[in-house]
Amino acid sequence: MAALRFIFCDQLSQSLSALSGLDSADTVLLCEVMEEATYVKHHPKKLAFLFSAMRHFAEELRGRGLNVRYVKLDDAANTQTIEGEIARALQATRAGRIIATEPGEWRLKQRMENWRDLFNVNLEVREDDRFMASLGEFNAWAEGRKQLRMEYFYREMRKGFKILMRPDGKPEGGEWNYDAENRKPPAKGLTIPKRISHRKDAITNDVLDLVAARFGHHFGDLLPFHFAVTREQALLEARHFIKEALPDFGTYQDAMVAGEPYMFHSLVAAYL
């Protein structure tokens, strides 16, 4: 039975569980909808980043020979809601089931729980296995605790995966964190790495025009726009950080200098 494979905007990974075991009759659905762009007034840079990344990812999937149904924000028939676009896709493709990866946002997770009854089809929601810990593992760790402090969760993760741990079970260097050493003031004449600005292709330029026209009233400036919008570009950013900024990141993690918005930070959180 053909399936509709739905992908949320923050799930643009070729290894996503929702894409595992694809059949030639399946259709992958990605959609830009006004409902998600405006339930709060998102920064226009964020909207442009997401829309451009989604469109580039759709092209990657098409390059693999997959059936991709991509709905742009300004498509005439766009219902402007996730559920509306799933309903249209089910009707157009005659798919008898929906396969998706669990969303990372509680708001969307609650909505997804209604999809089976709403669409009257089989719904398979797969675990998001891109994370080192599952929700089940985290819930097991959190059960019975009075404080859910990230510091203590990270310690258990480091032990389990043997990250920066000594054979005797103690952390490398003898301490679990070195936050006290992250607060040094910037040295005089400190050289700060120049950051990457990616060349904008036709897809990104089209998105920038769309966001400027539709979301110019949102807070923040759309330009300049420097984000990576493909995996290849994101990996360039990661490698640049490791080579150029990571050596001094810890020392100046909390330092601020006028005219230097990034200092030695990685700028890869959005891509993760």
Side-chain angles (χ1 to χ4, degrees), residues 94-114:
R94 303 294 181 184
R97 58 192 179 124
I98 302 170
I99 298 175
T101 295
E102 60 186 1
E105 190 174 349
W106 182 254
R107 175 183 63 89
L108 294 173
K109 180 178 174 63
Q110 288 181 303
R111 281 175 57 175
M112 183 183 276
E113 292 174 355
N114 299 320

Side-chain angles (χ1 to χ4, degrees), residues 75-94:
D75 286 348
N78 190 337
T79 62
Q80 303 299 343
T81 70
I82 289 175
E83 285 78 8
E85 288 314 299
I86 291 176
R88 281 209 308 139
L90 288 172
Q91 183 177 26
T93 63
R94 303 294 181 184

Side-chain angles (χ1 to χ4, degrees), residues 211-230:
V211 172
R214 297 292 190 95
F215 305 100
H217 60 291
H218 284 206
F219 67 92
D221 296 326
L222 175 61
L223 300 177
F225 183 86
H226 56 73
F227 287 102
V229 292
T230 67

Side-chain angles (χ1 to χ4, degrees), residues 142-158:
E143 187 175 2
R145 292 178 180 266
K146 294 181 178 180
Q147 282 189 328
L148 300 183
R149 189 175 295 180
M150 287 185 180
E151 166 82 8
Y152 299 145
F153 177 66
Y154 290 160
R155 290 184 187 184
E156 294 305 312
M157 293 289 289
R158 282 178 60 180

Side-chain angles (χ1 to χ4, degrees), residues 175-192:
E175 300 290 340
W176 284 106
N177 73 62
Y178 294 86
D179 285 349
E181 297 181 21
N182 293 346
R183 305 183 182 111
K184 293 183 179 178
K188 187 175 182 179
L190 179 67
T191 300
I192 298 167

